[in-house]
Amino acid sequence: MIHYKTKEEIELIRKSAQLVSATLAEVASRLKPGMSTLDVDAIAEQFIRDHGAVPSFKNYKGFPNTCCISVNEAVVHGIPNGYTIKDGDIVSVDVGVFSEGFHGDSAYTFAIGEIPSHVQKLMAATKTALNKGIEKAIVGNRVGDIAYAIQEYVEKERGYGVVRELVGHGLGRNLHEDPQVPNYGRRGSGAVLKEGLVIAIEPMVNLGTRDVEYLEDGWTVVTRDRKSSVHYEHTVAVMKGKPDVLSTFAGIEVAEKNNPAINSAYLN
């Protein structure tokens, strides 16, 4: 069942989504080689709680941490642990915040130090794919129009693999709501997009094959060929004529450029 939000509810979701964005910007300002993914998780949790909110992911269906932190071939849902981040890693940080009755959700992938140009191109393409999907999140379109826009760009134009097993979703009072928002599909298919629908759009794009598998921890999803994967996500409200992006990458990109440990060359 799809829950449409009032203008007042959308503003509360915006507040949560903006705190997610600020949390990711804080991570971006401090991320460096030598930190463990648990260190990154602790930074995010402290920041969220210092701002009077609660991490959405912690204890959600048994997930033990604040962030999903997925490194290199890990696609999503990586559990923070003692892994030490090193030069050449790409680190995806997915965060949710619950505040004043509503969730916000966003994800960002960071490049640490020197990374190959083909991985930089994957990062740039995934961010572009997210924007192409967002452009279709307007009243009168369908979920399949978002999915098709992402898949067409990623697979047909760029030759990468779009993950099928994991999808975007509605959100609001619950972290995951209807409808599911795949990153692949047919134009004109799926639920009609109506004003007041709030969704998380989140392409997960693999350098090689689209095939994935789960690790023994039951959470972490990795590429089957163990090639790199990139993940970006925004919280978006469907509107007439133009989507309303409730989260923002602006502060994250500033922090990314100002942190010498992070390679932001893909932004150029």
Side-chain angles (χ1 to χ4, degrees):
M1 182 178 181
I2 296 175
H3 300 282
Y4 298 99
K5 280 72 181 180
T6 65
K7 290 180 180 179
E8 292 76 17
E9 289 172 333
I10 288 172
E11 290 310 308
L12 290 172
I13 297 171
R14 189 193 309 277
K15 184 176 178 180
S16 291
Q18 293 283 319
L19 181 53
V20 173
S21 300
T23 303
L24 288 168
E26 177 70 9
V27 167
S29 72
R30 299 173 63 180
L31 196 58
K32 62 182 180 180
M35 300 176 74
S36 72
T37 54
L38 265 177
D39 293 333
V40 177
D41 190 72
I43 289 168
E45 180 168 2
Q46 189 66 53
F47 189 85
I48 291 166
R49 294 193 186 280
D50 284 349
H51 286 80
V54 175
S56 295
F57 298 174
K58 194 158 192 176
N59 300 319
Y60 179 75
K61 295 186 176 179
F63 189 80
N65 294 90
T66 290
C67 304
C68 297
I69 303 180
S70 308
V71 181
N72 297 330
E73 72 273 13
V75 181
V76 285
H77 301 164
I79 299 175
N81 54 33
Y83 175 84
T84 300
I85 295 167
K86 62 184 184 298
D87 190 274
D89 284 341
I90 56 169
V91 181
S92 169
V93 183
D94 188 357
V95 185
V97 159
F98 183 71
S99 177
E100 298 183 54
F102 290 90
H103 294 272
D105 193 3
S106 185
Y108 203 91
T109 300
F110 301 97
I112 308 301
E114 294 301 315
I115 63 167
S117 60
H118 64 269
V119 177
Q120 293 184 38
K121 290 176 181 177
L122 175 67
M123 294 173 70
T126 305
K127 193 177 278 189
T128 297
L130 171 60
N131 290 331
K132 287 183 177 292
I134 290 170
E135 287 172 2
K136 301 299 181 182
I138 57 175
V139 172
N141 280 350
R142 291 179 176 267
V143 168
D145 296 318
I146 297 172
Y148 177 86
I150 293 170
Q151 183 183 14
E152 181 75 4
Y153 176 74
V154 169
E155 293 190 341
K156 297 287 181 65
E157 295 187 33
R158 300 310 304 270
Y160 300 129
V162 170
V163 174
R164 305 294 202 273
E165 289 81 359
L166 301 138
V167 298
H169 52 90
L171 80 164
R173 293 190 182 276
N174 298 299
L175 181 59
H176 293 106
E177 299 181 354
D178 291 333
Q180 291 191 345
V181 185
N183 298 302
Y184 68 98
R186 293 183 297 106
R187 282 182 294 194
S189 64
V192 175
L193 302 178
K194 299 179 181 179
E195 191 161 1
L197 175 64
V198 177
I199 53 178
I201 301 176
E202 49 178 320
M204 291 151 271
V205 180
N206 299 344
L207 183 63
T209 174
R210 65 178 176 84
D211 297 328
V212 298
E213 58 191 31
Y214 283 82
L215 297 186
E216 290 183 2
D217 63 21
W219 284 99
T220 309
V221 179
V222 299
T223 57
R224 187 165 292 170
D225 60 12
R226 297 303 192 268
K227 292 183 179 180
S228 299
S229 185
V230 172
H231 177 213
Y232 292 101
E233 176 183 17
H234 267 315
T235 296
V236 182
V238 173
M239 295 289 169
K240 294 177 181 176
K242 185 180 180 181
D244 187 359
V245 183
L246 306 181
S247 47
T248 177
F249 288 163
I252 303 168
E253 291 177 350
V254 169
E256 191 176 20
K257 290 176 180 178
N258 289 336
N259 184 343
I262 295 180
N263 187 333
S264 59
Y266 78 99
L267 292 170
N268 300 326

